């Protein structure tokens, strides 16, 4: 369960957000001023710190300055600042002193805020992974840098005809350590399913020759295709096609404009785990 | 030597044409026929110069020539004049039939005869032309009867006329049967008109000459001409230019007056004479008045027709534009999603450090790009929703919802904003539990959300009150604010797409982004009502959503255009 430190002096606002975040399963710790927040951050690492800029005593920027100068005396936690839109000076300062992101209070209602919080939490966890990855790569010499060993990992069949999405999503999945095969048509994908062992199928809807839903029907018709988890990512399906597909047994349906590559990787991990 | 060349049974005609030895009806039948046929064909020719109208004129002239010559043979006593005229008659008579066929062909088919057709007609005519002046045509003159004795050519004439008549009849019947449905009446009427004319002409002549040997029968045949003129006139009025109608009216009134006046020739007494004059006077006056009224009516009718046509065209274009716009929005939305996804994806990867560590200021800038992009994505979503709603493709999922919970959820969403704007946000629910309502909860939630958003937006200070009440068979959700209010001019336009009120088609940043227009569509799809009232500027406003507890299917055609039926 992820932990969040909420630094907000207005009791009504903090109550609303705390309730909302707890409803989503986060552990929420409250802090009402800068000093208190610093103290807590020295003691714990949080998955996210939501820091209001306007605080009694030491304000949000002040807290950040302290954190950035304190070095190891303060434990690393990603900090996202609250601000109002007409507060751009402080925003710039906040980022300069290490804030990971900002949320404009008046723009988001509690539900949207939740999405942003999740985004930042995911972003910082990915960032950590990437930092570790780069660190370990640097440690190896040029010769020793090999492409990741994917022989033991799951086989993902990614069906998509547009190059930009292949670059975006398929590459990210490769980075996750999966063995990724890209098929640009439904027919090609079907062949791969028939000839090779596929652990999960990720497909677009609008494909040349054979549409996504046709592909799914065909795959489900195969003997070993009946149990392969299928995730659909689509940009341009009509309502009717969406309804049809949702009635088939698939493990996830996402709209491309609503999902980032890392979120997709997350969902795939979940789908594979649930197998 | 004095050749006796003059008939002795009468005196020379007055003014070459007028004599009292002529049988009654002679002038009547001959002159009115000539007049009517010539007038109509001249008028038609004047209106529109084409092959058909030229042929009609030629037909009229042929017929008139024949008629005048016939008149001459009736009234003259100089045998040379009689012979001369008579010989020409036997040329003009078949000419009438030949031209009649040619005219019918061109009028009905809309094109000229092929060359072999013209050759054929010419070859039929040639013998008559050649032999007209010979004794083959007229053998000699019988002074006692004061008539020419006709030679064998006359049988040839009748044979040709009969065969032509049968041929024409066949051609006309065939054309009527094979014509398009909408033209059928016109074609049938034309065929009837010309057949009657030719038939009357032929039968009267043939009967008069061959069978009964009484030329007076012939005069009745003349009357086929005014009948024909009437048909042509009717056809002009019905199927051709409107302005012809005016002239047809004029023609009718003139002909009528002329006919009345011509009765003068038959007056028996002075009383009769005076009566005829009076009738004539009346007919002239009535004629003038009638023409005036027809003229103004026609002008008005023309204007109306022009407007109706323009309206129909505009309507057509409107429908096309509407459809094109919906399609464009749909396609554009789908196309836009690709680059939007790419931006979203790559920026998120960069922010996550997939491409290395980034500076704080870079992070800040990229974050802004990411959020702007999210706004764009939402905008595309909104456009797509609107296009779906307008083309009726928005799907509704109906089930029973507890209204109190739904409303309370939405209100919670706005507590923070209200707080920020220093407004009180109140929720009033009834004490007793309300019955559940059959509706698409997500969409209704959007509508309520939009109303509360507006209320907060347009209220500087005071409060926003959301209440739910039951009113007989329906549930009402009211959103009341103490804000700027709505002026009465804006009220009827509030829920329209491009209203002049303060809230135009502004799109929300969240959800499906509904304006009041879309809100209304959604509520109406539920069979409910969305309306507002306000006491005026600065006096706040109240928006009401009314939903029936048990939704009835009410399909309303909200298409933009109106189907116009042509007259």
């Amino acid at each position: 369960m992820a932990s969040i430190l909420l630094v907000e002096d207005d009791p009504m606002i903090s109550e609303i957000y705390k309730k909302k975040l707890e409803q989503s399963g986060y552990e929420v710790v409250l802090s009402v001023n800068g000093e208190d927040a610093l103290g807590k951050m020295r003691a714990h690492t949080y998955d996210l710190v939501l820091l209001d800029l306007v605080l009694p005593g030491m304000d949000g920027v002040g807290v950040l300055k302290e954190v950035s100068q304190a070095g190891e005396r303060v434990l690393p936690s990603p900090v996202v600042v609250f601000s109002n839109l007409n507060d751009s000076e402080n925003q710039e300062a906040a980022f300069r002193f290490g804030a990971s992101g900002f949320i404009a209070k008046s723009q988001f209602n509690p539900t949207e805020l939740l999405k942003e919080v999740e985004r930042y939490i995911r972003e910082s966890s990915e960032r950590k992974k990437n930092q570790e990855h780069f660190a370990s790569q640097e440690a190896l010499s040029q010769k020793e840098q090999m492409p990741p060993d994917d022989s033991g990992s799951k086989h993902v069949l990614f069906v998509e005809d547009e190059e930009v999405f292949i670059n975006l999503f398929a590459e990210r999945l490769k980075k996750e350590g999966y063995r990724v095969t890209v098929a640009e048509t439904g027919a090609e994908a079907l062949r791969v399913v028939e000839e090779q062992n596929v652990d999960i199928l990720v497909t677009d809807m609008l494909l040349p020759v054979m549409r996504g839903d046709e592909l799914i029907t065909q795959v489900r018709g195969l003997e070993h295709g009946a149990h392969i988890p299928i995730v659909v990512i689509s940009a341009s399906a009509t309502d009717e096609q969406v309804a049809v597909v949702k009635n088939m047994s698939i493990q996830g349906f996402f709209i491309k404009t609503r999902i980032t590559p890392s979120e997709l990787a997350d969902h795939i991990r979940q789908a594979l785990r649930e197998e | 030597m004095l050749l006796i060349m003059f008939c002795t049974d009468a005196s020379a005609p007055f003014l070459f044409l007028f004599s009292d030895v002529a049988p009654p009806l002679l002038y009547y039948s001959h002159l009115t026929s000539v007049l009517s046929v010539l007038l109509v064909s001249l008028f038609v020719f004047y209106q529109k110069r084409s092959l058909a109208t030229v042929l009609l004129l030629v037909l009229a002239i042929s017929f008139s020539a024949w008629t005048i010559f016939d008149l001459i043979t009736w009234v003259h006593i100089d045998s040379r004049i009689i012979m001369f005229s008579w010989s020409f008659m036997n040329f003009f008579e078949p000419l009438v039939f030949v031209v009649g066929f040619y005219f019918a062909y061109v009028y009905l088919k809309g094109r000229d005869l092929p060359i072999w057709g013209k050759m054929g007609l010419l070859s039929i005519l040639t013998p008559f032309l050649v032999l007209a002046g010979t004794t083959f045509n007229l053998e000699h003159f019988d002074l006692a009867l004061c008539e020419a004795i006709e030679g064998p050519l006359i049988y040839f004439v009748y044979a040709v006329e009969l065969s032509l008549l049968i041929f024409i009849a066949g051609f006309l019947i065939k054309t009527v049967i094979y014509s398009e449905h909408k033209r059928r009446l016109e074609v049938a009427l034309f065929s009837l008109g010309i057949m009657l004319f030719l038939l009357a002409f032929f039968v009267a002549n043939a009967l008069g000459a061959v069978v009964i040997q009484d030329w007076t029968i012939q005069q009745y045949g003349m009357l086929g001409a005014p009948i024909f003129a009437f048909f042509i006139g009717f056809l002009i009025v019905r199927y051709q230019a409107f302005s012809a109608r005016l002239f047809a009216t004029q023609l009718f009134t003139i002909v009528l007056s002329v006919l009345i006046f011509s009765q003068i020739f038959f007056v028996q007494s002075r009383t009769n004479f005076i009566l005829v004059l009076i009738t004539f006077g009346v007919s002239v006056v009535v004629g003038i008045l009638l023409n005036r009224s027809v003229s103004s009516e026609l002008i008005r009718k023309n204007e109306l027709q022009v407007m109706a046509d323009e309206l129909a065209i505009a309507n057509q274009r409107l429908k096309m534009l509407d459809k094109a716009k919906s399609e464009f929005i749909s396609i554009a939305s789908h196309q836009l999603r690709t680059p939007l996804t790419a931006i979203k994806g790559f920026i998120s990867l960069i922010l996550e450090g997939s491409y290395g560590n980034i500076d704080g200021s870079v992070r800040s800038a990229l974050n802004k790009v990411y959020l702007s992009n999210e706004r764009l994505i939402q905008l595309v979503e909104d456009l797509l929703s609107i296009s779906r709603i307008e083309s009726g493709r928005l799907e509704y999922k109906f089930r029973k919802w507890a209204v109190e919970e739904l409303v309370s959820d939405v209100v919670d969403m706005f507590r923070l904003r209200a707080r920020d704007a220093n407004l009180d946000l109140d929720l009033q629910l009834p004490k007793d539990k309300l019955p559940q309502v059959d509706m698409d909860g997500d969409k209704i939630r959007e509508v309520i959300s939009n109303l509360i958003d507006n209320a907060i937006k347009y209220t500087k200070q005071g409060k926003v009150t959301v209440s739910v009440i039951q009113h007989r068979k329906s549930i009402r959700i009211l959103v009341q604010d103490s804000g700027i209010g709505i002026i009465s001019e804006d009220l009827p336009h509030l829920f329209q797409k491009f209203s002049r009120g303060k809230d135009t088609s502004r799109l929300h940043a969240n959800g499906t982004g509904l304006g009041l227009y879309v809100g209304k569509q959604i509520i109406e799809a539920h069979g409910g009502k969305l309306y507002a009232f306000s006491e005026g500027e600065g006096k706040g406003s109240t928006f009401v959503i009314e939903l029936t507890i048990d939704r009835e299917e009410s399909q309303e055609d909200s298409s933009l255009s109106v189907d116009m039926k042509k007259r």
Side-chain angles (χ1 to χ4, degrees):
Chain A
M1 190 158 58
S3 62
I4 299 179
L5 174 64
L6 176 60
V7 189
E8 169 64 61
D9 64 323
D10 185 327
M12 182 176 156
I13 294 177
S14 60
E15 192 195 310
I16 291 174
Y17 282 133
K18 181 166 150 107
K19 188 166 87 172
K20 203 73 191 182
L21 292 167
E22 279 173 347
Q23 267 174 4
S24 297
Y26 294 106
E27 189 197 310
V28 180
V29 176
L30 268 182
S31 180
V32 297
N33 63 51
E35 293 287 352
D36 184 56
L38 271 176
K40 292 196 160 77
M41 282 167 80
R42 284 186 189 114
H44 304 277
T45 307
Y46 297 93
D47 289 294
L48 190 71
V49 177
L50 283 173
L51 178 65
D52 188 6
L53 283 186
V54 178
L55 295 167
M58 189 191 304
D59 72 356
V61 179
V63 171
L64 279 167
K65 260 199 231 163
E66 278 290 329
V67 167
S68 65
Q69 286 164 3
E72 282 169 19
R73 280 181 291 133
V74 172
L75 297 169
S77 310
V79 179
V80 167
V81 308
F82 269 129
S83 76
N84 286 311
L85 275 176
N86 48 8
D87 196 9
S88 52
E89 270 178 41
N90 280 324
Q91 273 183 43
E92 301 304 317
F95 274 103
R96 234 179 302 130
F97 291 113
S100 310
F102 75 87
I103 293 177
K105 264 196 274 190
S106 50
Q107 278 223 320
F108 295 105
N109 61 39
T111 317
E112 291 165 334
L113 181 89
L114 196 66
K115 276 198 257 170
E116 279 294 279
V117 163
E118 284 171 357
R119 177 168 81 90
Y120 284 123
I121 290 179
R122 176 178 288 111
E123 195 183 282
S124 58
S125 88
E126 292 293 323
R127 198 154 13 111
K128 218 179 294 176
K129 277 195 261 173
N130 282 319
Q131 279 169 344
E132 286 163 7
H133 172 77
F134 280 119
S136 65
Q137 290 284 63
E138 271 173 34
L140 297 168
S141 71
Q142 280 285 341
K143 255 190 289 166
E144 289 169 307
Q145 277 185 21
M146 293 185 308
D149 174 25
D150 56 11
S151 53
S153 45
K154 303 281 187 176
H155 184 200
V156 176
L157 176 56
F158 189 73
V159 193
E160 169 63 64
D161 66 321
E162 288 199 62
E163 187 159 338
V164 68
F165 296 131
I166 297 173
N167 282 336
L168 193 57
F169 293 108
E171 286 303 312
R172 177 67 181 82
L173 293 175
K174 277 190 196 152
K175 208 174 63 105
E176 198 70 14
Y178 299 119
R179 181 162 60 93
V180 179
T181 306
V182 174
E184 293 188 32
T185 69
E188 206 184 309
L190 198 60
R191 215 177 323 121
V192 172
V193 173
E194 284 167 353
E195 295 167 4
Q196 302 176 36
N197 211 13
V198 169
D199 292 303
I200 184 166
L201 173 67
V202 182
T203 177
D204 186 13
M205 285 292 284
L206 215 65
L207 297 165
V209 180
M210 191 192 296
R211 275 198 330 264
D213 53 318
E214 285 174 60
L215 171 64
I216 295 173
T217 319
Q218 297 272 11
V219 166
R220 286 287 183 237
L222 293 174
E223 202 193 297
H224 53 278
H227 301 291
I228 300 178
I230 297 180
V231 169
V232 177
I233 48 168
S234 165
S236 50
T238 62
D239 292 316
E240 301 88 53
Q241 288 174 347
V242 166
V244 158
V245 161
K246 282 192 173 161
N247 280 333
M248 305 181 186
S249 73
I250 54 171
Q251 278 58 51
F253 182 94
F254 306 102
I255 308 252
K256 277 183 187 135
T257 47
R258 297 275 187 203
I259 193 169
T260 64
S262 298
E263 282 167 354
L264 181 65
D266 242 354
H267 288 291
I268 286 175
R269 198 182 322 127
Q270 263 176 348
L272 283 170
R273 219 182 299 150
E274 282 163 12
E275 239 201 324
Chain B
M1 179 159 84
L2 195 74
L3 284 167
I4 304 176
M5 292 209 179
F6 290 85
C7 302
T8 48
D9 57 353
S11 48
F14 170 69
L15 274 185
F16 203 73
L17 283 180
F18 299 98
S19 162
D20 52 5
V21 80
L25 268 194
L26 184 76
Y27 295 104
Y28 213 66
S29 58
H30 282 60
L31 292 180
T32 50
S33 306
V34 166
L35 203 68
S36 53
V37 167
L38 276 181
L39 274 175
V40 170
S41 55
L42 274 171
F43 163 72
V44 172
F45 181 70
Y46 174 71
Q47 284 288 317
K48 180 176 169 188
R49 254 148 256 212
S50 69
L51 183 60
T53 55
V54 164
L55 287 172
L56 180 61
L57 193 59
V58 170
L59 179 63
I61 291 172
S62 316
F63 177 77
S64 308
W66 186 94
T67 312
I68 299 294
F69 281 129
D70 186 56
L71 192 58
I72 292 172
T73 59
W74 270 102
V75 301
H76 263 269
I77 54 169
D78 185 340
S79 62
R80 290 166 301 179
I81 295 176
I82 295 175
M83 286 290 273
F84 181 75
S85 308
W86 205 300
S87 64
F88 265 103
M89 277 170 60
N90 284 338
F91 167 65
F92 279 106
E93 204 175 309
L95 183 64
V96 165
F97 283 83
V98 166
V99 176
F101 168 71
Y102 193 2
F103 169 64
Y105 184 91
V106 171
Y107 180 89
L108 290 174
K109 294 283 188 197
R111 57 175 189 265
D112 201 355
L113 262 183
I115 194 77
W116 51 264
K118 288 191 236 194
M119 288 284 122
L121 291 181
L122 203 61
S123 62
I124 294 175
L125 280 177
T126 333
F128 297 103
L129 188 62
V130 164
L131 297 172
T134 65
T135 50
F136 207 67
N137 183 9
L138 299 175
E139 286 178 351
H140 60 268
F141 190 76
D142 185 335
L143 262 177
L145 292 170
C146 205
E147 281 174 13
I149 302 298
E150 295 181 308
L153 191 66
I154 192 71
Y155 297 108
F156 194 41
V157 166
Y158 292 130
V160 163
E161 283 178 10
L162 186 61
S163 22
L164 265 182
L165 206 66
I166 293 170
F167 181 71
I168 290 172
F171 169 74
L172 290 175
I173 290 171
K174 188 177 126 177
T175 311
V176 168
I177 292 175
Y178 285 113
S179 64
E180 303 168 347
H181 196 257
K182 58 177 175 169
R183 263 203 96 192
R184 193 157 285 172
L185 187 61
E186 181 194 351
V187 169
L189 281 174
F190 176 84
S191 306
L192 193 63
I194 202 165
M195 267 316 282
L196 280 179
F197 167 61
L198 292 175
L199 207 60
F201 195 41
F202 170 74
V203 164
N205 286 351
L207 269 181
V210 177
V211 179
I212 305 179
Q213 302 265 350
D214 182 358
W215 295 107
T216 53
I217 304 267
Q218 195 191 70
Q219 294 161 73
Y220 295 103
M222 305 266 89
L223 294 172
I227 294 176
F228 178 53
F230 166 75
F231 269 97
I232 294 289
F234 177 76
L235 286 175
I236 292 168
V237 163
R238 189 74 178 77
Y239 296 101
Q240 313 288 334
F242 278 116
S243 58
R245 195 195 227 180
L246 178 62
F247 195 90
T249 317
Q250 289 168 338
L251 185 71
F252 170 72
T253 50
I254 289 172
V255 166
L256 193 65
S257 306
V258 164
L259 283 176
I260 293 174
F261 186 77
S262 65
Q263 302 237 351
I264 296 258
F265 295 111
F266 296 93
V267 293
Q268 308 286 352
S269 66
R270 172 161 291 188
T271 330
N272 210 339
F273 183 74
I274 293 173
L275 283 174
V276 169
L277 271 182
I278 292 174
T279 319
F280 173 69
V282 168
S283 74
V284 167
V285 168
V286 168
I288 291 171
L289 291 175
L290 182 67
N291 277 301
R292 253 200 232 147
S293 102
V294 170
S295 170
S296 62
E297 183 201 315
L298 276 176
I299 290 171
R300 219 165 300 145
K301 191 171 197 168
N302 255 346
E303 288 171 4
L304 268 175
Q305 186 58 34
V306 166
M307 285 200 288
D309 286 337
E310 285 177 359
L311 203 61
I313 292 173
N315 196 29
Q316 199 60 26
R317 283 193 67 226
L318 194 69
K319 280 191 190 164
M320 272 170 39
L321 279 174
D322 196 39
K323 187 162 175 283
K325 188 206 72 184
S326 289
E327 280 178 13
F328 170 74
I329 288 180
S330 195
I331 292 172
S333 310
H334 288 142
Q335 299 285 51
L336 284 168
R337 275 171 164 165
T338 300
L340 289 173
T341 307
I343 295 172
K344 178 182 167 106
F346 283 112
I347 302 265
S348 76
L349 286 174
I350 297 173
L351 282 171
E352 288 166 3
S354 305
Y355 301 96
N357 225 11
I358 50 172
D359 199 26
S361 50
V362 174
R363 178 180 312 284
S364 159
L366 282 176
N367 216 24
K368 288 179 190 161
V369 173
Y370 185 85
L371 290 172
S372 287
N373 194 54
E374 291 292 284
R375 289 261 178 288
L376 267 176
I377 289 173
Q378 191 53 58
L379 190 63
V380 168
E381 215 55 54
D382 295 342
L383 285 173
L384 205 59
S385 292
I386 291 202
S387 116
R388 264 199 222 114
I389 287 178
E390 287 187 347
S391 56
R393 281 186 286 124
L394 193 62
E395 278 178 16
Y396 293 91
K397 299 186 201 62
F398 290 99
R399 70 167 175 87
K400 292 273 189 190
W401 288 79
V403 181
E404 300 103 311
E405 270 175 45
L406 195 119
V407 175
S408 153
D409 262 347
V410 179
V411 170
D412 273 342
M413 273 184 9
F414 284 94
R415 289 212 186 277
L416 196 58
R417 265 193 62 199
R419 184 77 159 53
D420 239 6
N422 269 323
L423 299 169
D424 285 322
L425 179 57
D426 235 350
L427 173 64
Q428 286 170 4
L429 297 170
K431 281 194 301 262
D432 304 314
K433 195 156 167 217
L434 293 165
Q436 298 205 336
V437 177
D438 193 18
M439 60 186 184
D440 184 332
D442 291 321
K443 301 207 169 59
I444 299 290
R445 194 179 290 139
E446 280 306 322
V447 182
I448 302 174
S449 180
N450 182 231
L451 293 180
I452 301 179
D453 185 51
N454 282 348
I456 294 177
K457 221 192 313 165
Y458 295 124
T459 307
K460 292 281 185 320
Q461 59 183 8
K463 67 195 287 194
V464 172
T465 311
V466 181
S467 45
V468 185
I469 50 174
Q470 176 171 9
H471 182 79
R472 293 195 215 147
K473 285 232 175 84
S474 51
I475 303 265
R476 286 189 189 160
I477 303 167
L478 293 95
V479 177
Q480 187 177 25
D481 66 65
S482 59
I484 57 176
I486 309 163
I487 49 180
S488 54
E489 283 116 55
D490 286 341
L491 257 178
H493 302 301
L494 268 184
F495 299 96
Q496 289 170 0
K497 252 203 292 192
F498 303 110
S499 67
R500 281 179 293 110
K502 295 258 169 66
D503 190 7
T504 55
S505 48
R506 193 197 118 99
L507 296 169
H508 239 266
N510 44 336
T512 57
L514 305 172
L516 289 174
Y517 167 74
V518 171
K520 187 159 199 224
Q521 305 296 311
I522 290 181
I523 301 294
E524 282 179 356
H526 282 72
K529 289 194 257 205
L530 176 62
Y531 52 91
F533 49 88
S534 165
E535 281 174 32
E537 191 163 356
K539 300 214 177 94
S541 11
T542 307
F543 282 76
V544 185
I545 298 173
E546 205 173 290
L547 294 166
T548 47
I549 296 172
D550 288 307
R551 184 185 56 89
E552 279 145 30
E553 295 281 357
S554 73
Q555 291 291 335
E556 286 222 351
D557 187 17
S558 59
S559 55
L560 292 170
S561 55
V562 174
D563 269 312
M564 271 199 56
K565 293 199 166 52
K566 272 203 88 162
R567 58 159 197 124

